């Protein structure tokens, strides 16, 4: 049986690769895509998701636009990382199919309601759309299998010393989602930083030479520059968002631990921080399965194999 | 030349060992001891510091009582860790010398003012006394060489997932001290957790058999039980506070990095957290030298040697 | 021309009277009613709104259920004030018409979108529904004429010294609404406390003797007891929520001032407070028209006349 | 018997008049003056207090400098109100006596300790000095009769819509003082705004023609201009700080109520607000006697009479 998922994303280079993996994965049924304001303005992340699906020839997958800004805070896009388009570096086709007729919330509600099996929601941007969906449709919570989130960090951050972009962008929405009572699978920066593609992987991808692999290589070449310029040393290019899909494809590549997780929303320096109680100091309920480690080579191979699958 | 220091502590088992090291160290001139409310009620930490100095026969070192509680918050002692006396486990002599005639602030002011050389302040409890001292005696800041603090953690905590006892106890005072402009040397839990005494070290100490080593072994046997019962696995017994003195005795045992450090005072879950900007994401001034690593064997040997020095 | 309005309420005794006024008013077109969680659990406030409309024979007005709880905080109902049903004291008919098929957000969106003229939204409960509506339907903001809110206070409160129930219940939603850029008309407790019905008014109402007036008298007799028991002295029974409708019926009964208004969401004691800049100390934009005074006798007469209108 | 008081002030035009009243009052024994950072930099408020005492020929009253800045926040002086000197407008003599040899804390401790009777502390600036004094000298609390404070407001402010200068300047210190357990007498803006001198009073003062009255008239002429330019309408010139002394001279001029008072230190818009529970909604202990009304004419007459007393 395929895992039915809805991907809520803000493409974004790594979101784009997550989307490609989700389409390529033989055990995943990508029922819909919803887009959030985050890496870029909402009109751009919507367009980017549709451009990727157009590239993949998957124009029957519905794509719906989400909230225009975070729940309580201003939108702060990440132009430095993802460029003016949000997906700089590749020559992508313009969307050749229409936007879904309703909102992201409508698409989520319809798909979750009508799905035979409980649905997995994957969030690779700020949690805004999912917070609104859960608040508005409490009657559908029982139909959600789990929410897989890329975000947060335990003692590490990327925007600020202890905070990660997605969580910092909309901490109140993250809090609503984490405290929803639905099973959370969290990929913090601790594991995402390890999800690197090395030169050798880039070389393998370059040799595949189908239109999807070409776009991915172009995107990664553009994206990788930012990591070279950062102060944190990386051997390769860490690609965060694909971790979520990779885990759904093959959980054995990752290892983690059940933990209680809180989201800070009041701090002067720590708002957006995920407080991950690794050693169970608080004795609070373990509301999340948090991933900390990855078998990097298997992860890279999974991506390479996925790209190859578009060659036929 | 000996380094003139004042030790501001809340003994506390590890504070007691820090005090013993400071007396034993041939390159340290322990000019005075001030006590804070923290591990136990202020009357008890005062008495404990005096009992240790009585044990050591160092009754000419002035000991002065500090503030009765944290700057803005309630005092929360750590009875689970340090027992009803704050120094459970050893049979210590009662103080045989009088308390200093003034307050901790008076002793700090007098010693710093009259010292020929700039003074190093070592803080192994909450920062309350030092915050008051710096606020009241801005005219003496130039006479302080540096403030060496045991506290905080980068992504680790002991009381809560991301907060350490000393900082959590009085975060506002910590903020005042960290932002004072005086050079800060910070020993967070990241290094303190590594400052462990193993069974082999305990055995060596047990063989020394002078009254100081006997007291230390008794204290450690009592103190170590808490770590066995905690959820975080330790090979040996981590003794945090002695790190500060050990570093003054021989900085080459430790390694660290200049970083900007902020103290969170507003968070719902993170108040008391030290935000250590290891990768310079904020581009703020590097106001602290933060230690992350320790050569554990040399550290243990230093303690063993210090205890032996009391045998003659 | 009649003013098209949607009433978002949490009946509640005073909400019920506001609803009755809105139906009675010859210059108001009550296009729909949405209900919020506040004075009572959301299922009860929904049922109460429908019971009142059943009593009034207005079963063609759509009533839709809103969010189940405040945006970020727990629901705290006001049983002491409104009783177990939320509308204790009167013998009301059970609803004899079906609930609207969609949510409060759907009803708001449909009515605002299809209305020929811009719509006035009246909020007499927590702002939750309207915050969600505005966040989800930014494209409809231009069709909203103004948002008339019962809530807040300048230096006065009812739940806490400086905070009013509706605002305290969901301060984040109130903040979203107040900062939406839409014109706000705010009735704080300063004016609501003056909107009292005296014994003489109660006597006049008692003489009307139609089924609506009987229900209102019963409701007020029950509701009034709470004010007798409070510490704040009132001559009569203050009925807050009807102020909003009364003003729409005849603005000349009230007087007020354009002011900047902020909503506190971070305070230890002041969360939910409306900071009304009466003297323009902040020089911020005047985002609200705030009512401070009322001609009480005209207000009471308006209610009496409205009740009489149900006699035929 | 004379009431022994220590005046902690930040002169400041109204502080200066408070000081003059305290010297003139036959039932007050002004044991010492301590100065705070507030209306102007601490060196200036110290100098101003000494200039006023020099003018009064009261050079035996010890004057001691307090903390250089608020407990946790930056000093924000009020140059607009009090000018570059902090006491613009009058030609005052330079101090002709030395500053007290110790700090404000030392002076407070010495005077309170050695006083036969419990001492009244009057605070007409930020509460910084008193917060430090109480924290450092818990053993002297029993010797303090009461703390009379000019500060705060119930629903009114002068710097921000709901906050008053002294409280906004150092809310954490105010919190420490208010929560100290010592009896508090609070004069908020509600009464201070009513403590006005009218043209007719100014005329009477102008006719007195001694050096003190001349200085006061000059100070008031300068100070009054600010109120003409403000947005809040005043008939005359409100002089806040003298209320405290006036009440000590003759409490029957004022009326008030026992209330619980909290200080907000966390708010986004309300930090520094005094939450005065006038209607006992919180049922918390009544920790303050709060003054709300004043017999303005008697107050003005008291000042005029005090000025006349310097004619001999
Ligand atoms: Ca993303
Ligand atoms: Ca300690
Ligand atoms: Ca209501
Ligand atoms: Ca003053």
């Amino acid at each position: 049986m395929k895992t039915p998922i809805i991907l809520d994303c803000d493409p974004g280079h790594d979101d784009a690769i997550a989307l490609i993996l989700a389409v390529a994965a033989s055990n995943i049924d990508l029922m819909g895509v919803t887009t959030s304001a985050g890496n870029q303005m909402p009109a751009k992340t919507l367009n980017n998701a549709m451009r990727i699906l157009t590239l993949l020839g998957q124009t029957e997958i519905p794509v719906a636009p989400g909230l225009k800004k975070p729940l309580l805070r201003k939108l702060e896009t990440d132009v430095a990382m993802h460029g003016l388009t949000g997906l700089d570096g590749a020559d992508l086709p313009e969307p050749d199919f229409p936007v879904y007729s309703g909102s992201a919330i409508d698409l989520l509600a319809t798909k979750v309601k009508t799905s035979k099996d409980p649905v997995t929601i994957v969030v690779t941007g700020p949690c805004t759309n999912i917070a609104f969906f859960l608040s508005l449709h409490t009657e559908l919570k029982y139909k959600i299998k789990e929410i897989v989130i890329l975000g947060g960090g335990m003692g590490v951050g990327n925007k600020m010393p202890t905070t990660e972009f997605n969580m910092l962008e909309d901490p109140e929405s993250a809090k609503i989602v984490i405290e929803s009572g639905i099973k959370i699978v969290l990929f913090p920066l601790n594991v995402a930083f390890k999800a690197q593609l090395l030169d050798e992987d880039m070389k393998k991808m370059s040799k595949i030479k189908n239109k999807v692999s070409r776009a991915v290589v172009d995107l990664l070449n553009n994206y990788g520059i930012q990591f070279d310029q950062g102060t944190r040393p990386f051997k390769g290019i860490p690609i965060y968002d694909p971790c979520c899909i990779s885990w759904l494809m093959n959980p054995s590549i990752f290892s983690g631990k059940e933990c209680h997780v809180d989201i800070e929303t009041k701090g002067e320096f720590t708002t957006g921080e995920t407080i991950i109680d690794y050693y169970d100091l608080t004795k609070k309920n373990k509301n999340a399965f948090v991933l900390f480690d990855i078998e990097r080579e298997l992860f890279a191979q999974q991506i390479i194999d996925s790209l190859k699958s578009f060659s036929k």
Side-chain angles (χ1 to χ4, degrees), chain A residues 47-48 50-56 90-96 215:
Chain A
N47 195 52
N48 288 342
M50 297 180 73
R51 291 201 291 159
I52 293 293
L53 288 177
T54 300
L55 173 76
L56 300 177
D91 188 23
L92 297 169
E94 283 308 301
D96 62 1

Side-chain angles (χ1 to χ4, degrees), chain A residues 1 25 36-37 41 64 76 84 89 97 106 123 149-150 158 166 180 185 219 227-228 257 275 283 290 308:
Chain A
M1 197 203 81
S36 49
M41 301 296 288
E76 307 273 358
L84 280 176
F97 66 108
D106 296 332
V123 191
I149 302 172
L150 188 292
N158 54 1
N166 285 350
S180 67
V185 180
L219 287 171
F227 291 97
D228 294 342
K257 191 173 175 178
I275 297 93
K283 308 289 176 202
V290 187
K308 280 183 186 163

Side-chain angles (χ1 to χ4, degrees), chain A residues 51 137 143 233 290 309:
Chain A
R51 291 201 291 159
H137 291 282
K143 286 289 292 290
V290 187
S309 76

Side-chain angles (χ1 to χ4, degrees), chain A residues 210-221:
Chain A
N210 61 42
K211 64 183 176 180
V212 179
S213 69
R214 272 193 207 101
V216 168
V217 167
D218 288 351
L219 287 171
L220 284 170
N221 280 334

Side-chain angles (χ1 to χ4, degrees), chain A residues 25-157:
Chain A
S26 58
N27 68 338
I28 287 177
D29 173 16
L30 180 59
M31 301 170 73
V33 174
T34 52
T35 57
S36 49
N39 287 332
Q40 252 298 356
M41 301 296 288
K44 292 186 180 180
T45 59
L46 172 66
N47 195 52
N48 288 342
M50 297 180 73
R51 291 201 291 159
I52 293 293
L53 288 177
T54 300
L55 173 76
L56 300 177
Q58 297 288 332
T59 58
E60 80 294 353
I61 297 175
V63 184
L67 275 290
K68 302 258 189 310
K69 62 175 283 296
L71 188 48
L72 291 179
R73 300 171 193 262
K74 269 197 211 161
L75 175 62
E76 307 273 358
T77 61
D78 193 354
V79 176
M81 210 67 186
H82 298 280
L84 280 176
T85 64
L87 215 43
D88 278 16
D91 188 23
L92 297 169
E94 283 308 301
D96 62 1
F97 66 108
V99 177
Y100 179 72
S101 59
S103 71
I105 311 304
D106 296 332
L107 179 54
L108 281 155
T110 300
K111 289 295 180 185
V112 169
K113 197 174 182 176
T114 59
S115 173
K116 192 165 56 70
D117 299 306
V119 174
T120 294
I121 296 176
V122 179
V123 191
T124 61
C127 290
T128 321
N129 291 337
I130 309 309
F132 272 86
F133 171 60
L134 295 177
S135 297
L136 288 161
H137 291 282
T138 52
E139 81 284 2
L140 293 175
K141 280 189 179 179
Y142 82 103
K143 286 289 292 290
I144 303 170
K145 187 183 170 199
E146 59 196 6
I147 303 177
V148 183
I149 302 172
L150 188 292
M154 190 169 81
V156 292

